Structure formats: C-alpha cells, structure tokens
Amino acid sequence: AQRVTQPEKLLSVFKGAPVELKCNYSYSGSPELFWYVQYSRQRLQLLLRHISRESIKGFTADLNKGETSFHLKKPFAQEEDSAMYYCALRGGSYIPTFGRGTSLIVHP
Amino acid sequence: GAGVSQSPSNKVTEKGKDVELRCDPISGHTALYWYRQSLGQGLEFLIYFQGNSAPDKSGLPSDRFSAERTGGSVSTLTIQRTQQEDSAVYLCASSSGTGLGEQYFGPGTRLTVT
C-alpha cells in the first residue's frame, strides 16, 4: 500500500521567511513523487516532480529515501505563494496517491 | 490550447436525486481520472480510464457512483440517489500516454446536496 502524509493542514509565514512544507510517504518500492499547487480560484497544477530535479518558482524538493520524505522548500516566501499544496506519490500503478494538502499563507 | 473542461461548474441538488458530471479531456490524452476533493480530505481517487481498456473503478465509494467514457474522450460521472456526504468538488484530470506523465486538471464541479 502507498500512503502520503502531509502533517500540517496550515502553514503561516511572513513574506521573506523560509518555508518548508512537509511530505512523508510510505511505499516499499521506488516511488515517483510530485508536488501540485492550487492557487485561489485556479485549477490544480503540477509544481514539480522529483525526477526533473528542477526549481520552479523558487521551490525545490529533494527525495530522501532514507527518511521517506519529499519536503517542499523555498528560502524566501512571497505573498503570491499563498496556495494549497498537495504532495502526491505514484508507485507501481498509474493511480497516484495524494496527501490531504497543506494550506500555505504568506503574510505581507 | 484548450485544457480539461468540466461541466457544470456548480450543481446544487436535492438529496435522493441523480446527477451527471461531465469531463472533456485534452484532445489526444488517453488517460482520464476522476477525483473527489473534500475539505480536509485531500484528493480521493475515484476511477481511472486508459484508452479502450476496462476502467479501474477501485476508488468508487459505493455502487451509487458510476462513470463511463465514450469514444475514448468525454467522460461522465453519475451519482445516483445523492446523499449529503456526496457534497464535494469533483475533479477530472487527463494525461497523455499511459498516464505516467503530468496530470492536467479541470476546474472541477462543486456539488452541493441539500
């Protein structure tokens, strides 16, 4: 079975502060990990995936197989980063498992 | 280009009524997913279609839920005898190839059962 845990429902930071959205997973094989983002009144969209090792909008995420984590980080949060963030895992099937999401609020 | 579209955007129905939700995937995308998004529950997988293969219905919560995909394109999710706990946002996503790539989501249908 595969499981994704996002322990924080809400994360509140001030503009310019570092932000880390936590994601822990459970899967016995080699997973594919994603972060999706949903801005207010917009549709859910892919932010980044671990295999591409990109930095998107200043966000990075590193897959840590030892800790089974895929935390999303940004050194300096911006107000426009305020959104709902979902971590997702795809294991052996074509059906991804999503976490419950973390709402990020960046205060001015 | 056109993305995934869903209709209606909002649906209010009375308990016990049947509803149909529609999804138009991106042209050429063979993989199509339905999810349910509830407050605090994240995205709950409902059903997956891939080309002409039999759908994976393992996520459907009850036999009141069904979905079909005609001609490998448009999909309809039907909920019979709606209950208040069915109130949620229903999301559709499509993906190219075998579905291993990025999923492109529609705007969702917000269903409210009164």
Side-chain angles (χ1 to χ4, degrees):
Chain A
Q2 54 193 55
R3 185 180 303 164
V4 175
T5 303
Q6 293 181 249
E8 302 137 330
K9 283 188 178 179
L10 174 66
L11 188 60
S12 183
V13 301
F14 285 99
K15 176 183 172 180
V19 63
E20 180 180 66
L21 292 90
K22 291 185 169 51
C23 172
N24 290 92
Y25 67 89
S26 173
Y27 180 65
S28 57
S30 292
E32 191 175 3
L33 276 294
F34 306 81
W35 276 99
Y36 280 82
V37 61
Q38 188 169 27
Y39 301 102
S40 179
R41 297 187 180 84
Q42 294 188 29
R43 60 186 68 191
L44 196 61
Q45 59 186 288
L46 179 68
L47 180 62
L48 54 80
R49 54 199 300 181
H50 89 273
I51 60 172
S52 58
R53 296 180 173 271
E54 293 176 300
S55 172
I56 305 294
K57 298 184 179 182
F59 284 97
T60 59
D62 292 318
L63 177 60
N64 186 323
K65 292 188 177 180
E67 296 182 358
T68 59
S69 68
F70 188 57
H71 304 327
L72 184 67
K73 301 177 184 179
K74 185 169 182 176
F76 307 104
Q78 303 299 313
E79 289 179 69
E80 56 265 29
D81 296 328
S82 296
M84 193 75 179
Y85 292 80
Y86 292 94
C87 182
L89 174 153
R90 186 156 51 207
S93 76
Y94 300 122
I95 300 166
T97 298
F98 285 81
R100 295 191 172 190
T102 297
S103 177
L104 174 64
I105 299 175
V106 182
H107 300 282
Chain B
V4 177
S5 61
Q6 292 185 245
S7 61
S9 55
N10 279 284
K11 177 71 176 179
V12 180
T13 190
E14 292 180 353
K15 177 181 171 181
K17 301 279 189 183
D18 297 351
V19 295
E20 283 190 354
L21 313 180
R22 177 188 168 107
C23 171
D24 279 274
I26 293 173
S27 177
H29 278 189
T30 56
L32 187 148
Y33 300 77
W34 281 99
Y35 297 92
R36 180 165 65 178
Q37 185 179 33
S38 306
L39 193 63
Q41 297 300 315
L43 267 69
E44 176 188 4
F45 163 75
L46 297 177
I47 189 169
Y48 163 65
F49 294 90
Q50 174 55 255
N52 296 320
S53 302
D56 184 325
K57 305 179 182 179
S58 60
L60 295 179
S62 78
D63 58 8
R64 296 186 295 105
F65 288 73
S66 62
E68 61 178 23
R69 188 178 185 191
T70 54
S73 182
V74 171
S75 178
T76 302
L77 177 69
T78 301
I79 308 173
Q80 296 179 308
R81 305 181 302 282
T82 52
Q83 303 294 312
Q84 288 187 330
E85 60 262 29
D86 299 335
S87 296
V89 175
Y90 289 82
L91 294 176
C92 174
S94 72
S95 183
S96 62
T98 56
L100 291 177
E102 175 183 353
Q103 294 193 11
Y104 294 84
F105 283 83
T109 294
R110 181 174 296 278
L111 175 66
T112 303
V113 182
T114 61

